[in-house]
């Protein structure tokens, strides 16, 4: 069974940075070759943030975070990172990583992901 564990959340001021980590383990490696980050704020729908297809290191970012967030991987550690710079109060949410076998154009569809982490809270104050 694939397991995902997020870490790195916290409370920061607007303009500061955080780096989230998603450690992946267990199950078939092929079932976790696409790792995505989602976020969900209270009362709002879950929103896709970024994804990376591990075999080709192909990264995608939502328009709302382009230029500020960057997804990357450390394959030796089976860990995917989300570097978040110039954070804004509207970035406040619980951030989740999710895994499936392929990324592709539907990477932003949360229902298509099989495995999820428990989430990590990010709070940005103005």
């Amino acid at each position: 069974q694939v397991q995902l564990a997020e870490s790195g959340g916290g409370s920061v001021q607007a303009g500061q940075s955080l780096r989230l980590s998603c450690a992946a383990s267990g199950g078939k490696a092929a079932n976790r070759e696409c790792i995505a980050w989602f976020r969900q704020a209270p009362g709002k729908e879950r929103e896709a943030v970024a994804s990376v297809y591990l075999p080709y290191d192909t990264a995608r970012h939502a328009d709302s975070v382009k230029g500020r967030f960057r997804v990357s991987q450390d394959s030796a550690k089976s860990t995917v990172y989300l570097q978040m710079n110039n954070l804004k109060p509207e970035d406040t949410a619980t951030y989740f990583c999710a895994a499936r076998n392929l990324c592709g154009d539907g990477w932003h569809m949360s229902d298509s992901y099989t495995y999820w982490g428990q989430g990590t809270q990010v709070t940005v104050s103005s």
Side-chain angles (χ1 to χ4, degrees):
Q1 182 80 350
V2 173
Q3 294 184 322
L4 304 172
E6 303 97 334
S7 61
S11 297
V12 297
Q13 298 283 327
Q16 293 185 327
S17 300
L18 280 175
R19 189 179 77 162
L20 305 183
S21 300
C22 174
S25 62
K28 295 181 179 180
N31 289 339
R32 44 182 170 90
E33 289 186 335
C34 176
I35 303 292
W37 286 97
F38 290 82
R39 65 186 181 185
Q40 188 165 21
K44 294 188 176 181
E45 293 188 355
R46 192 163 292 187
E47 174 190 17
V49 176
S51 71
V52 59
Y53 184 54
L54 303 184
Y56 296 151
D57 201 24
T58 304
R60 300 190 187 202
H61 300 82
D63 289 343
S64 59
V65 304
K66 278 182 180 177
R68 299 190 298 123
F69 291 12
R70 180 175 176 271
V71 63
S72 64
Q73 64 168 312
D74 183 336
S75 57
K77 296 182 179 180
S78 297
T79 299
V80 171
Y81 302 101
L82 184 67
Q83 177 67 42
M84 306 187 295
N85 299 324
N86 190 22
L87 282 161
K88 303 176 180 180
E90 51 263 43
D91 295 318
T92 296
T94 301
Y95 284 70
F96 301 88
C97 63
R100 67 184 198 187
N101 55 347
L102 297 172
C103 282
D105 291 339
W107 71 272
H108 60 286
M109 300 173 66
S110 62
D111 289 348
S112 67
Y113 288 82
T114 307
Y115 306 101
W116 290 84
Q118 80 287 353
T120 186
Q121 178 67 36
V122 172
T123 303
V124 185
S125 57
S126 58

